[in-house]
Amino acid sequence: MSETTAFSSTVSAPNSVKASNGILVVTIDNAPVNATSADVRTGLERALSHAEAAADVTGVVITGAGKTFIGGADIKEFGKPAVEPTLPAVIEKIEALSKPVVAALNGVALGGGLELALSCHYRVASAAAQVGLPEVKLGIVPGAGGTQRLPRLIGIPAALDLIASGRSAKAEEALSLGIIDEIASGDLLEAAVSAARKLAGKPLRRTGELTAATADPAEIKKASAKILAKSRGQKAPAEVVRLVTSSTRPFAEGLADERATFLALRDSREAAALRHVFFAEREASKVEGLESVEARPVSTIGICGLGLMGSGIAVAALGAGYTVIGLDQTPEAAEKGRERIIDLLERNLASGRLDQTGFEARKAKLSVTASDADLAPCGLVIEAVFDDLAVKTDLFRRLDKVVRPDAVLATNTSYLNPDEIAAATAYPGRVLGMHFFSPAHVMRLVEVVRCAKTAPDVLATGLAVARKLRKLPVVTGVTEGFIGNRIFSAYRREAEFLLEDGALPHEIDAALEDYGFPMGLFAVYDMAGLEIAWARRKRQAAARDPSIRYVEIADTLCEAGRFGQKAGRGWYAYPEGKKAIDPEVTAIIEAARAKKGITPRTFSKDEILRRLLDAMAAEGEALLAEGIAARPGDIDLVMINGYGFPAYKGGPMFASN
Ligand code: 3H9
């Protein structure tokens, strides 16, 4: 394609403009993700004005520099005074241009990026492009026409699905839905320029002028109800439903409503919380001391212990393309582990999350053994055996002898001290913790534990592997329970104090569920089973400081065989499998209060929440002061991704401000 630079002086950086035989190619170049920051909007507006006025320009192509088309509005500008021109104004100008504007989607087009593309008269994408309106994930609705143009283009049900979930669609799906018009088989810009030439002088298809196809009201009602039920009282999904389902009204009216809703939500606490989470996730990957440290290469991962946790980790590792060697104590146990892993893969196959080729590829990369020596090729070994110091140290000593000297050894312990495990090896520098959460093939969080002697490139390896597994790694120092379980312990302790002081389990659970936790604390206990924590408390009993307040109620429940749902009774009763308040538990709690001479009082939901949130935040402050957690945002990510803290509340540290 022959290109001559033209009138770049009329367009302020960071956009560049070139003319190609009458077609103006505007490239948005605003690293890292070509967000539509103020400069970009100004540049675009100038280019559009020029295109409209210049007789030698017959059409416009808008594309992005690098691997992104446009990542959306600049989230860093939210909360600051608005700078003209606004994105909706630029978008309106694109749609109204008398000459064809073609979007050349060279990569992801998200949020305002897709909204901009929707206002173009034709959309051509590279095969790698993806589109989406992820605004709900930031607690807002699309604010530049997305809720009105998308349904006009693809119908209300499909638009509802995309906007309310915030998910991205790959190029193929975008084409079949009608979001894009073409996937370029060759050079993207050539295809876009050629499309612009073909459209020049012809009537233009303006998305805003299309009539939104009406859909079956029953179908819309059902889809809306599903979205509202899932959103647990969050505002943005409900507003998406309202705006999209009413998109059959006049376009200008819909746009004005959308804009007002966007602005109101943008300034809400929910949106501030979700923005905090967005940036915290990006911050978490920046680890002090690792700025220029390279991870060790890993292509084969050994997994010791193929129980529930080990097999989940194996599925995640196979999914990321690693070769996996599973180790268990006997050939029979190893074979059982293999079956467990295959079973999980088969479930993914049945649900459509995995296709047959992917299934076969994963199966081919899996082997199991009962012989330590077979782990020799591994670049990383993750142990997920019984959480007992003697068992783990013995395993690490054996591993030390069979793996390469540069192989990394990770322990998945939840409560043991990984420094003690590391000390059992000849090279403690290659040991770190990788604390996965169950089910490990589903849960995103991995606490990556930096032990006293962990070498920087070993830590970098743990982080790189976790990221490749598509997990969210958060670095923690060594302390009992690491970040998550330490905060969880403080929270649990406070909940038990509340019981003694006068609240009942169902009252505490209701306060937590109202706040946005998917399940209350006591319901979670019953689901997980009470016996493991009881065994731990019994082990620790002798060392417990008698001057520290200790609540015996959970022990009394366990002594009565109330181990939770599996036992048919725990903090609640389960007649016919349904959770119910149990007067027997209330009596146990009342007896415990009486034994300590506590006069119970009533607590409001707000008071219950305040005490629980304060306890979490105070423990978080302690973790920061001790240097166990690097940032408040890291603590928030752990609690959101590992313990059900509602993301739209920002995590315990954000919520305490
Ligand atoms: C919107 O569009 C509202 C409109 O409807 C209405 C407007 C009127 N702004 O994720 P990465 C930064 S709302 C500012 O690691 P990747 C990010 O913080 C927006 N900064 O890269 C990081 O900075 P740093 C709707 C942004 O390649 C760096 O870019 N759009 C933005 O793995 C790299 O980020 C979205 O919600 C932004 N919009 O993934 C999309 N996006 O290096 C949000 C990123 O200093 N973005 N940064 O830590 C994403 O999903 C991913 O970043 C993306 C690239 C897929 C684009």
Side-chain angles (χ1 to χ4, degrees):
M1 191 172 68
S2 68
E3 285 185 350
T4 50
T5 308
F7 49 79
S8 45
S9 59
T10 63
V11 180
S12 79
N15 299 343
S16 75
V17 173
K18 291 184 174 184
S20 173
N21 296 337
I23 304 299
L24 194 68
V25 179
V26 182
T27 305
I28 295 165
D29 188 356
N30 185 22
V33 299
N34 297 336
T36 58
S37 318
D39 280 355
V40 170
R41 301 194 301 270
T42 308
L44 271 170
E45 195 186 47
R46 287 192 193 157
L48 292 165
S49 297
H50 175 83
E52 190 67 280
D56 59 342
V57 173
T58 53
V60 179
V61 166
I62 301 177
T63 193
K67 65 181 176 68
T68 310
F69 174 65
I70 299 173
D74 186 342
I75 306 170
K76 291 181 180 129
E77 280 182 0
F78 289 7
K80 296 185 186 152
V83 179
E84 302 283 335
T86 63
L87 188 59
V90 174
I91 282 179
E92 204 174 308
K93 194 158 182 160
I94 293 174
E95 192 162 67
L97 209 79
S98 65
K99 298 171 186 177
V101 185
V102 173
L105 307 182
N106 54 305
V108 293
L110 296 177
L114 176 58
E115 291 176 296
L116 185 143
L118 293 176
S119 72
C120 293
H121 309 116
Y122 192 84
R123 285 158 291 280
V124 48
S126 69
Q130 289 192 28
V131 301
L133 291 171
E135 282 87 345
V136 282
K137 296 186 182 164
L138 293 169
I140 53 176
V141 295
T147 66
Q148 304 303 300
R149 285 194 180 86
L150 195 60
R152 278 176 167 73
L153 209 52
I154 66 171
I156 291 177
L160 251 190
D161 165 47
L162 272 176
I163 308 178
S165 66
R167 73 179 179 89
S168 293
K170 292 191 173 145
E172 284 291 343
E173 187 191 358
L175 182 67
S176 70
L177 284 171
I179 300 174
I180 58 170
D181 301 294
E182 181 186 333
I183 296 178
S185 47
D187 183 78
L188 174 70
L189 272 188
E190 264 175 40
V193 167
S194 141
R197 269 203 206 109
K198 274 190 218 144
L199 292 173
K202 305 225 172 75
L204 297 173
R205 184 182 188 234
R206 296 192 167 85
T207 315
E209 290 174 0
L210 303 174
T211 323
T214 46
D216 174 11
E219 189 191 348
I220 293 181
K221 203 170 157 199
K222 199 168 143 205
S224 306
K226 213 166 135 192
I227 292 162
L228 295 179
K230 231 176 122 185
S231 65
R232 316 188 127 262
Q234 285 179 77
K235 292 192 200 94
E239 292 291 25
V240 163
V241 168
R242 191 180 63 75
L243 291 164
V244 174
T245 54
S246 62
S247 61
T248 44
R249 62 182 152 162
F251 185 58
E253 198 184 297
L255 275 190
D257 190 353
E258 179 201 79
R259 183 73 184 159
T261 311
F262 163 79
L263 290 173
L265 287 179
R266 190 194 60 182
D267 298 334
S268 68
R269 180 83 179 152
E270 242 171 66
L274 287 164
R275 277 200 299 279
H276 159 73
V277 174
F278 177 86
F279 288 117
E281 285 192 7
R282 270 104 199 134
E283 277 297 299
S285 62
K286 293 166 195 151
V287 178
E288 208 188 315
L290 295 192
E291 293 79 7
S292 50
V293 176
E294 289 230 0
R296 297 183 185 180
V298 174
S299 56
T300 301
I301 296 181
I303 296 171
C304 308
L306 299 176
L308 209 64
M309 182 60 92
S311 43
I313 300 172
V315 168
L318 291 166
Y322 288 107
T323 298
V324 170
I325 306 173
L327 174 81
D328 217 316
Q329 275 172 318
T330 62
E332 295 73 33
E335 185 47 33
K336 262 214 154 75
R338 200 185 79 88
E339 282 165 19
R340 205 173 282 124
I341 296 164
I342 300 293
D343 181 53
L344 288 173
L345 292 173
E346 276 171 350
R347 278 194 229 171
N348 286 349
L349 185 63
S351 70
R353 256 172 291 166
L354 189 61
D355 61 15
Q356 192 65 39
T357 319
F359 175 75
E360 296 302 337
R362 285 162 176 73
K363 222 166 118 180
K365 288 197 157 189
L366 170 68
S367 61
V368 295
T369 179
S371 161
D372 298 349
D374 288 337
L375 295 182
C378 295
L380 166 69
V381 180
I382 304 172
E383 71 72 21
V385 299
F386 186 62
D387 215 15
D388 176 272
L389 189 62
V391 173
K392 297 213 191 226
T393 46
D394 172 60
L395 174 68
F396 270 60
R397 260 188 218 115
R398 281 163 28 216
L399 288 175
D400 228 9
K401 296 193 187 109
V402 296
V403 296
R404 317 189 299 245
D406 67 331
V408 171
L409 301 180
T411 167
N412 178 51
T413 184
S414 316
Y415 280 100
L416 300 173
N417 183 343
D419 281 334
E420 288 180 30
I421 300 171
T425 67
Y427 313 104
R430 64 158 149 181
V431 176
L432 82 168
M434 287 181 81
H435 181 215
F436 287 82
F437 287 70
S438 193
H441 57 298
V442 176
M443 297 284 280
R444 248 182 111 210
L445 179 66
V446 180
E447 285 181 308
V448 177
V449 189
R450 187 197 287 230
C451 304
K453 295 199 172 147
T454 304
D457 64 337
V458 168
L459 186 66
T461 308
L463 289 166
V465 169
R467 269 184 226 117
K468 200 166 163 202
L469 301 186
R470 307 188 65 178
K471 304 283 177 202
L472 174 67
V474 176
V475 174
T476 164
V478 174
T479 181
E480 180 160 341
F482 313 120
I483 295 175
N485 278 333
R486 259 218 24 206
I487 300 218
F488 186 68
S489 294
Y491 158 54
R492 193 203 58 218
R493 199 163 47 234
E494 193 63 26
E496 295 190 354
F497 291 167
L498 276 165
L499 286 182
E500 269 190 350
D501 292 345
L504 286 171
H506 67 275
E507 291 167 344
I508 297 173
D509 281 0
L512 290 167
E513 286 167 20
D514 274 9
Y515 185 69
F517 279 87
M519 247 177 146
L521 182 63
F522 294 101
V524 170
Y525 275 148
D526 274 2
M527 203 178 70
L530 274 60
E531 62 276 23
I532 294 177
W534 186 39
R536 196 173 50 247
R537 288 197 300 277
K538 282 195 284 192
R539 278 200 306 275
Q540 293 164 343
R544 194 175 297 129
D545 178 349
S547 67
I548 293 176
R549 183 175 177 184
Y550 180 77
V551 179
E552 288 173 9
I553 301 168
D555 297 341
T556 314
L557 292 188
C558 289
E559 280 154 19
R562 304 189 67 107
F563 293 129
Q565 247 180 58
K566 269 178 291 174
R569 46 199 211 120
W571 288 98
Y572 294 94
Y574 292 88
E576 285 144 34
K578 274 197 88 176
K579 190 177 83 182
I581 299 168
D582 191 340
E584 213 179 285
V585 175
T586 310
I588 290 174
I589 294 170
E590 281 166 354
R593 290 172 188 155
K595 191 172 156 195
K596 286 195 182 169
I598 297 171
T599 311
R601 65 178 193 86
T602 50
F603 287 91
S604 69
K605 269 187 188 171
D606 281 352
E607 234 177 321
I608 290 175
L609 259 180
R610 196 65 277 147
R611 274 188 52 174
L612 295 175
L613 293 179
D614 285 351
M616 285 191 230
E619 194 67 16
E621 290 298 343
L623 287 167
L624 291 169
E626 291 164 32
I628 301 296
R631 290 166 281 249
D634 286 1
I635 297 173
D636 288 336
L637 293 180
V638 167
M639 297 318 288
I640 289 168
N641 292 284
Y643 299 82
F645 200 103
Y648 58 93
K649 294 281 166 47
M653 305 310 284
F654 180 87
S656 72
N657 286 316

